Amino acid sequence: GYRVSLQGNFFGHNHTYITFPEYNPRKHIKLDPPLNIQSNATASKCQIWWSVPWYLVEILQYELQYKEYSMSWEIALNKTPPSSLPQIEIEATELRSGIAYIARVRCKISENEDSYHSQWSEWSQTTVFQRAGVPKLSEKILNTRTMQFLFIPLSFGTLLYLFWNCKLSSRYCCFLTSGQKVSPALTFPLQLLSFSHSIICTMGILR
């Protein structure tokens, strides 16, 4: 260890004051703040990571602070990474959709480290992120798909009705404008072709 003293001349007399009789530099460390803080936000979580000297990675602990971009740091939320790795995740449930957030991080020697002791570093530079929105089908596409799914069973139902109606009326005759008799066997295909054409036109419009 070291002895730290303070010497000065006060009122014409030299005085020496012992400030630290046993000073160990390992116990009084203040580290530089982490560097290159970055973030990547998705719909489910936000990942934040940073850089520290490689020889300090295993003995450091971190504290992350984040807040809404427009708010004061005095009401920011603190979060501690679960390990000594220079990274952390924020779940989407902790973030409001469509709101920009800003985060910063600081570090110090881990409390589990006996050989060294330090105070918190200054805060790092900041990173800005925003929770990504959940992908949704547009209302127009959703309505179109719904109409298509409803139209198909209704079309088949109508076809069955025409077929059944033609079968029941097979004992009757249909007359053309010229007055000639035509059997239902010829009338039904005409009805079917007309209805099929309507279905094709309607499906084209829905697309």
Side-chain angles (χ1 to χ4, degrees):
Y2 298 86
R3 186 179 69 175
V4 179
S5 60
L6 176 64
Q7 294 182 349
N9 189 304
F10 301 95
F11 303 104
H13 299 282
N14 292 328
H15 294 276
T16 300
Y17 299 93
I18 305 300
T19 308
F20 297 101
E22 285 290 333
Y23 180 79
N24 189 344
R26 292 187 176 188
K27 302 295 183 178
H28 301 83
I29 298 173
K30 185 173 182 179
L31 300 169
D32 292 329
L35 302 174
N36 304 321
I37 183 171
Q38 301 179 60
S39 58
N40 179 41
T42 65
S44 60
K45 61 185 176 182
C46 175
Q47 295 178 311
I48 302 177
W49 63 96
W50 52 89
S51 300
V52 293
W54 63 269
Y55 50 85
L56 295 176
V57 170
E58 296 184 357
I59 63 172
L60 294 184
Q61 68 181 69
Y62 307 96
E63 183 179 43
L64 180 85
Q65 201 172 61
Y66 70 98
K67 67 179 183 70
E68 293 183 16
Y69 192 86
S70 59
M71 298 296 182
S72 169
W73 284 111
E74 295 179 356
I75 59 173
L77 299 175
N78 295 333
K79 198 173 184 68
T80 302
S83 69
S84 62
L85 294 177
Q87 62 185 37
I88 196 172
E89 291 184 355
I90 303 176
E91 296 298 328
T93 54
E94 303 177 58
L95 305 172
R96 295 170 58 193
S97 181
I99 301 297
Y101 286 82
I102 185 170
R104 61 186 183 179
V105 65
R106 62 181 180 176
C107 64
K108 73 173 184 176
I109 303 295
S110 172
E111 299 290 348
N112 299 324
E113 183 64 38
D114 296 329
S115 301
Y116 300 92
H117 181 76
S118 73
Q119 57 181 305
W120 285 110
S121 70
E122 298 297 328
W123 289 104
S124 69
Q125 297 295 315
T126 59
T127 181
V128 178
F129 58 92
Q130 181 173 321
R131 173 185 169 187
V134 179
K136 295 181 179 179
L137 289 174
S138 67
E139 184 178 354
K140 181 177 180 180
I141 295 176
L142 184 60
N143 290 339
T144 300
R145 294 289 176 84
T146 303
M147 289 296 297
Q148 288 177 344
F149 285 127
L150 290 176
F151 193 79
I152 293 174
L154 289 175
S155 301
F156 279 107
T158 306
L159 286 174
L160 289 175
Y161 170 78
L162 291 174
F163 178 79
W164 182 254
N165 184 59
C166 181
K167 184 177 180 180
L168 290 177
S169 60
S170 59
R171 56 181 176 167
Y172 300 104
C173 295
C174 298
F175 295 89
L176 297 175
T177 55
S178 60
Q180 296 178 346
K181 293 183 178 181
V182 179
S183 66
L186 294 177
T187 304
F188 177 70
L190 293 175
Q191 294 174 335
L192 182 60
L193 287 174
S194 177
F195 187 73
S196 300
H197 181 265
S198 300
I199 293 177
I200 293 173
C201 291
T202 306
M203 293 297 290
I205 293 174
L206 288 176
R207 290 181 181 178

